[in-house]
Amino acid sequence: MKAQYFRLMDAVHRACLIVAGTCLVVITVTIPYGVFTRYVLNSAASWPEPLATLLMIVMSFVAAIVCYREYLHIGVGVLPAYLKEPAKTYLGWFLEICMLITNLFMLVWGLKLVQTTWFQSIAEFPMVSAGMAYLPIPIGGGLTALFVIERLLTQKFFAEPEPETVSQISTE
């Protein structure tokens, strides 16, 4: 059962990577088009900037999910580095349970926000409701909660990121 869950999480992780990458590509194409229509054609298109904003919201939530799974999220490793077992494991459990609570909060209250704003339209995209624009909040909370559960099952709380996911550019 665990192995099937982990395979499912691998598939979700790949899907999140594809969605985030696709959003980035569409943003990269859309913004220059908006600049072109405004300054070259002298007839600004009204949709590129709002579309880029909506896609940036989606990309941010989905990329955060990927970063969490790959241990690339912001974390302070000083305290766990000084702790010995079992205190280190207890801290890991505590932090992951806090993470789970936070993401369940995003899921529940994000769904309420989506329901409340579902019938409010966005001026630039009348066919898209404000509720749809808020959908990344509960989706991000739900998917991250699934990855928190995966981490609780593996108990790899303070693992280092995989070498292929970390940039080789020096920050010094």
Side-chain angles (χ1 to χ4, degrees):
M1 184 82 166
K2 273 187 185 180
Q4 290 175 332
Y5 186 77
F6 296 152
R7 279 196 301 277
L8 176 64
M9 291 299 97
D10 287 340
V12 170
H13 179 256
R14 276 191 299 280
C16 288
L17 278 171
I18 290 168
V19 169
T22 302
C23 287
L24 186 61
V25 169
V26 173
I27 291 169
T28 304
V29 170
T30 301
I31 293 300
Y33 174 78
V35 171
F36 176 77
T37 59
R38 176 175 289 147
Y39 294 108
V40 176
L41 300 180
N42 234 4
S43 175
S46 64
W47 57 269
E49 289 181 36
L51 176 66
T53 302
L54 291 173
L55 291 175
M56 182 63 78
I57 292 167
V58 172
M59 186 184 76
S60 297
F61 278 94
V62 174
I65 296 166
V66 171
C67 289
Y68 175 80
R69 176 121 192 275
E70 295 180 0
Y71 298 95
L72 296 173
H73 57 23
I74 296 173
V76 179
V78 175
L79 184 58
Y82 285 108
L83 291 177
K84 303 285 186 224
E85 292 299 333
K88 190 173 186 177
T89 301
Y90 293 146
L91 177 64
W93 275 94
F94 174 74
L95 294 175
E96 294 305 325
I97 288 171
C98 288
M99 188 75 175
L100 185 61
I101 291 168
T102 301
N103 284 286
L104 291 176
F105 177 87
M106 287 174 51
L107 175 63
V108 171
W109 288 99
L111 283 173
K112 290 182 183 198
L113 178 64
V114 168
Q115 289 171 347
T116 302
T117 59
W118 190 258
F119 297 105
Q120 298 174 8
S121 65
I122 297 174
E124 291 82 4
F125 300 110
M127 73 292 272
V128 176
S129 74
M132 287 182 195
Y134 291 125
L135 268 175
I137 297 170
I139 291 171
L143 291 177
T144 307
L146 292 174
F147 286 123
V148 170
I149 292 168
E150 178 189 39
R151 191 165 295 171
L152 289 171
L153 290 172
T154 61
Q155 295 190 19
K156 294 181 182 176
F157 300 122
F158 303 108
E160 291 293 321
E162 296 294 323
E164 64 269 5
T165 62
V166 179
S167 173
Q168 300 303 316
I169 298 173
S170 175
T171 58
E172 293 178 14

